[in-house]
């Protein structure tokens, strides 16, 4: 992803042969929960989160997880896994009857919580990112965008009611319609 800070996460593997991204999964993440900034998302995705810093870190530091992209509160974008590869963001999941959404999706984490409004800069960055993804992968579209809670109901709640879907979809449709930026 052009313009994104690059941090390589080892938590990925190959997509199944012949499978391209055809779904975008929106997540919310904050480490510790409800706190923003700091190196902790980088550290979680690179398996270097220090367990002693916070009780929550002790719970999650041994999880092997990643996402393709993270959008911080100020709209800065970091990429952890190549879009060609399978990031480990969705876990047990199902989309329209199809299991294992990691196989065929792109994971985008927004730094935030289920209940605190996401920032305008995050919606703007998300729209740019999704437009770039849709331009690169013909099976992606503004309609093929779901929340983690949609594909893992009962198990996951992110990005939560704080995420304004109509606002996001409006910006994404506009960004997809605009000529690509050079
Ligand atoms: Zn999630």
């Amino acid at each position: 992803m052009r313009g994104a800070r690059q941090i390589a996460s080892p938590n990925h593997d190959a997509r199944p042969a012949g499978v391209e991204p055809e779904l975008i999964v929106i997540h919310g993440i904050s480490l510790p929960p409800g706190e923003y900034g700091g190196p902790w998302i980088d550290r979680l995705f690179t398996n270097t989160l220090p367990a002693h810093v916070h009780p929550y870190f002790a719970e999650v530091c041994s999880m092997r997880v990643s996402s393709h992209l993270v959008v911080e509160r100020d709209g800065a974008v970091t990429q952890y896994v190549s879009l060609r590869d399978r990031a480990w963001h969705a876990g047990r999941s199902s989309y329209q009857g199809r299991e294992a959404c990691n196989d065929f999706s792109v994971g985008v984490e927004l730094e935030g919580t289920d209940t605190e409004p996401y920032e305008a800069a995050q919606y703007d960055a998300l729209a740019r990112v999704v437009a770039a993804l849709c331009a690169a992968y013909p099976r992606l579209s503004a309609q093929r965008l779901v929340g983690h809670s949609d594909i893992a109901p009962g198990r996951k709640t992110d990005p939560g009611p704080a995420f304004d879907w109509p606002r996001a979809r409006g910006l994404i449709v506009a960004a997809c319609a605009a000529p690509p930026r050079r």
Side-chain angles (χ1 to χ4, degrees), residues 40 42-50 61:
W40 308 126
D42 288 354
R43 300 287 293 268
L44 177 66
F45 288 174
T46 54
N47 305 332
T48 58
L49 190 66
C61 67

Side-chain angles (χ1 to χ4, degrees), residues 107-122:
V108 182
E109 302 264 5
L110 302 183
E111 188 179 24
T113 70
D114 285 5
T115 52
E116 185 171 3
Y118 292 87
E119 299 284 352
Q122 293 182 292

